[in-house]
Amino acid sequence: MSNGQWYPPEWPDRIRALASGELTAVTPKRAATVMLLRDTADGPAVHMLRRRASMAFAGGAYAYPGGGVDPRDHDHLVRWAGPSLQTWAGRLGVDQASAQAIVCAAVRETYEEAGVLLAGETPGTVVGDTTGDDWEADRRALVERELSFADFLDRRGLVLRSDLLGAWARWITPEFEPRRYDTWFFVAALPEGQRTRNASTEADRTVWIRPAEGAAGYDKGDLLMMPPTIATLRALEPYRAAADALAAAGEQDLTPVLAQARLDDQGQLVLSWPGHDEFTKHIPTEGSR
């Protein structure tokens, strides 16, 4: 681990196997994650969860609520507020059905893992307290994939508030990883009347933390994060209010960030993320030692 950055110990061997043709890259699954913000006297804080140490992937690392896209949310048109599906498709770089599924995943995962729902009974409202037993039953059904998010919205008569989200970044898991995700990062503000809770079975704690404070913890090695998490966290530092970050979302570059691995002149493996020099890592090989 360098600073608070997490590198799986098996990466060097997998990188070599990919370079030699012994490893075939798997196709990444689509996913979405949300940087949920709330204003404080010292500026906006972001909601983060810490993955359980027992997790096979990135155990102990801090992340945002997020998860995979549900294919069932592609075809069932939902009640929608905010930018049109055509606009979202252009912003996300996908077709309209995929855009709906990706935005649904962002809203669903925020509800599943933080108990916060970006939806309302009308295009201009947001639901209030979602902690009742009936809400919890629906949330668990979503987690277990017994219920699609589109069907959940229909049953509840809710409108998805896509206008409360801003697309912020897109990162793709390196080709040498066995589990790969093509992940869109969104930013959103905590709706009035709602509160977060640790509803995720994959997390052992949650925190509200200012981006600068979180980045400082990473730099000292106190907070463990993967490159996409700390990169997006640093990008939030300049904003003095959640509304400012949301307003700036449309200006963010959604060009996918994909790690690259190569051998340098000394025979070392060089792992890098284009546009993010702080994550470059030189990994000695047997011939370079």
Side-chain angles (χ1 to χ4, degrees):
M1 185 176 73
S2 176
N3 295 329
Q5 187 174 346
W6 179 80
Y7 286 105
E10 66 272 15
W11 271 11
D13 288 340
R14 296 191 64 85
I15 292 170
R16 295 185 191 99
L18 182 68
S20 67
E22 299 173 14
L23 179 68
T24 301
V26 300
T27 301
K29 298 178 180 180
R30 287 175 168 170
T33 188
V34 177
M35 300 179 287
L36 188 64
L37 303 175
R38 74 176 183 190
D39 289 321
T40 75
D42 299 317
V46 62
H47 179 73
M48 304 188 77
L49 54 85
R50 186 177 66 185
R51 293 172 59 83
R52 293 186 182 277
S54 58
M55 297 294 293
F57 181 77
Y62 282 80
Y64 313 112
V69 168
D70 187 341
R72 295 175 296 178
D73 292 332
H74 280 82
D75 303 323
H76 184 153
L77 289 178
V78 303
R79 297 171 66 194
W80 192 270
S84 67
L85 283 175
Q86 181 178 7
T87 299
W88 272 111
R91 178 69 176 130
L92 301 179
V94 297
D95 59 73
Q96 292 187 37
S98 296
Q100 175 178 282
I102 293 165
V103 173
C104 278
V107 177
R108 186 196 72 240
E109 289 290 337
T110 305
Y111 180 49
E112 286 183 8
E113 298 195 339
V116 170
L117 183 58
L118 304 177
E121 294 182 355
T122 67
T125 62
V126 180
V127 297
D129 187 5
T130 62
T131 58
D133 290 343
D134 57 335
W135 286 103
E136 180 61 16
D138 278 350
R139 192 194 66 80
R140 289 187 177 276
L142 288 168
V143 170
E144 298 297 329
R145 297 297 181 262
E146 298 169 355
L147 179 67
S148 74
F149 192 65
D151 286 338
F152 163 75
L153 293 174
D154 278 353
R155 277 178 38 176
R156 291 264 176 187
L158 297 175
V159 180
L160 186 150
R161 293 289 305 276
S162 81
D163 54 321
L164 299 181
L165 287 168
W168 193 269
R170 182 180 178 185
W171 288 68
I172 302 177
T173 308
E175 292 180 331
F176 45 82
E177 276 280 43
R179 299 176 183 174
R180 301 188 63 214
Y181 296 93
D182 183 355
T183 305
W184 282 262
F185 286 71
F186 294 85
V187 65
L190 179 67
E192 185 176 353
Q194 293 194 38
R195 60 184 185 273
T196 58
R197 57 194 176 93
N198 183 7
S200 173
T201 58
E202 298 180 354
D204 59 11
R205 70 172 301 207
T206 61
V207 296
W208 281 100
I209 191 167
R210 290 184 300 108
E213 183 183 354
Y218 167 90
D219 290 336
K220 291 187 294 184
D222 295 336
L223 301 181
L224 193 64
M225 299 181 204
M226 297 189 72
T229 307
I230 182 58
T232 50
L233 192 65
R234 291 198 199 282
L236 292 173
E237 287 189 48
Y239 303 100
R240 302 273 63 87
D244 296 337
L246 278 168
E251 304 167 5
Q252 305 305 309
D253 184 3
L254 293 191
T255 301
V257 180
L258 175 64
Q260 298 177 350
R262 62 178 176 84
L263 281 172
D264 66 11
D265 295 338
Q266 287 73 45
Q268 287 189 328
L269 282 170
V270 181
L271 179 60
S272 62
W273 280 259
H276 300 272
D277 293 341
E278 74 166 295
F279 305 128
T280 299
K281 184 173 180 62
H282 296 261
I283 305 171
T285 64
E286 291 184 4
S288 65
R289 291 170 185 165

